[in-house]
Amino acid sequence: MSTLAQEKGLLMDRDLTRKLSAAVKGAPASDWVGAAVALNHRSMPHLAAEVTEEGLGLHPREDGLWMEHIKAVAFYGEKLKEVWEQLHGAKRPPADREVLLALVEYYQERDAEGTARLKRVSAAKRGARFQEVLGHYAMAGHDFRGALAAYRKARKLAPRDLRLLYHIGEAYHALGDSVRSMKALLGVVARERHFVQAWNALCQLHLEQGQEDRARQAMGMALSVNPRDWGVYFTYADHHLDEGNCERALSILEDVLELQPHTVIAAEVYNYIGYLHYLE
């Protein structure tokens, strides 16, 4: 039985049920992209990876599916390597292959190669995906104004892509503009209440502003969508560490381990726990 089939009883809501039901053999690529986006919004990357792998078997040249697949496997080094090799060696590649390769290289932290690749992309192909990936590289380089400009250009080209509004909120946060960051993130969850990362970002903003009640509400919304999401736990652990409360941070991390996260996440948790013990 597939991972997706095993976990259906735990994760389903009406919207996700509808989108996953539409992603079947013979369905257009847009239905597969819709299912993958819904899973990534809910911070369920391992399930999104399964859906996108199946979808790409049917629609191997669909840029949107490749984009979602790369995001789904972003923290799995071997998977990223496989994706890079598949895209690089494809005889009939997707139209945005160079942008997609640059996205893989971004997650692999091959910044010099990725930025050089983006510079070679022709003006005619510098669409929303190009601007989004350009924004990611700018954020990684701490060029937050450049990142904001890129994300805003991307949003003009793809106004219905809520992920871009989320990135705009993150860029404003990095610039220290909590008002505009809050507005952007609230705009995301107003349109898609299942967007877990946006709830996590709102939780962080509220904690920074000392709004404990609102932070707990945002955390509750994130966990109501995906009770196995690790991001919001790390947000609270970071907050308690900043407050000098290592014991509370450790308790939060132990809660994550009780959720039996995937190996990559578990490794991050153990590294964090080791760091807390070092501080003691």
Side-chain angles (χ1 to χ4, degrees):
M1 184 182 293
S2 70
T3 303
L4 185 59
Q6 290 173 340
E7 297 198 15
K8 274 187 176 180
L10 298 176
L11 60 85
M12 284 298 180
D13 55 71
R14 288 192 185 97
D15 180 63
L16 185 56
T17 299
R18 178 176 58 81
K19 288 178 178 175
L20 289 177
S21 297
V24 294
K25 187 175 181 179
S30 58
D31 286 343
W32 288 93
V33 174
V37 168
L39 288 165
N40 277 331
H41 279 174
R42 289 161 175 78
S43 288
M44 299 169 179
H46 57 298
L47 303 184
E50 184 173 326
V51 167
T52 49
E53 282 178 4
E54 186 176 353
L56 285 168
L58 301 168
H59 305 281
R61 301 187 67 194
E62 174 53 45
D63 292 290
L65 268 176
W66 279 108
M67 193 82 167
E68 295 304 321
H69 184 63
I70 293 166
K71 291 176 183 295
V73 302
F75 299 104
Y76 298 88
E78 287 302 313
K79 287 284 187 181
L80 280 175
K81 182 179 178 182
E82 289 175 13
V83 171
W84 192 94
E85 291 172 350
Q86 288 170 349
L87 285 168
H88 189 262
K91 293 181 179 178
R92 298 184 65 224
D96 281 346
R97 173 167 63 177
E98 293 304 302
V99 174
L100 295 168
L101 284 170
L103 179 60
V104 175
E105 288 160 352
Y106 162 76
Y107 286 121
Q108 292 176 322
E109 299 187 13
R110 294 161 60 186
D111 291 1
E113 294 170 72
T115 52
R117 188 181 299 279
L118 288 177
K119 288 178 181 178
R120 296 195 297 269
V121 173
S122 65
K125 288 187 175 292
R126 295 190 175 190
R129 293 188 186 94
F130 172 88
Q131 295 295 341
E132 180 182 352
V133 177
L134 187 67
H136 294 343
Y137 276 103
M139 286 289 283
H142 290 207
D143 177 12
F144 304 131
R145 292 193 182 280
L148 178 60
Y151 292 142
R152 292 178 70 177
K153 286 180 183 178
R155 183 156 168 76
K156 285 183 179 180
L157 296 168
R160 298 180 64 184
D161 189 339
L162 290 180
R163 180 174 50 219
L164 298 173
L165 185 56
Y166 163 76
H167 289 315
I168 287 170
E170 289 288 86
Y172 274 128
H173 182 221
L175 286 166
D177 192 337
S178 59
V179 174
R180 286 191 172 91
S181 179
M182 186 78 72
K183 181 179 179 181
L185 294 169
L186 287 173
V188 174
V189 297
R191 294 169 176 82
E192 173 53 274
R193 69 178 182 86
H194 300 103
F195 204 123
V196 170
Q197 282 185 302
W199 286 117
N200 289 350
L202 284 167
C203 179
Q204 182 179 353
L205 273 173
H206 289 311
L207 286 171
E208 290 172 358
Q209 295 173 12
Q211 299 168 337
E212 296 279 348
D213 289 344
R214 291 187 178 182
R216 280 193 291 271
Q217 289 172 357
M219 179 184 186
M221 291 300 296
L223 295 179
S224 71
V225 176
N226 181 1
R228 292 171 60 83
D229 175 59
W230 55 268
V232 73
Y233 290 95
F234 276 110
T235 296
Y236 262 94
D238 290 344
H239 171 68
H240 291 306
L241 179 60
D242 290 341
E243 296 288 310
N245 192 341
C246 291
E247 184 177 346
R248 186 70 184 113
L250 182 59
S251 176
I252 293 289
L253 296 172
E254 289 171 347
D255 288 344
V256 178
L257 293 177
E258 288 182 6
L259 296 173
Q260 298 181 325
H262 286 264
T263 305
V264 173
I265 304 305
E268 290 291 327
V269 174
Y270 282 118
N271 285 338
Y272 202 150
I273 288 174
Y275 176 66
L276 291 176
H277 286 310
Y278 168 79
L279 292 178
E280 294 175 350

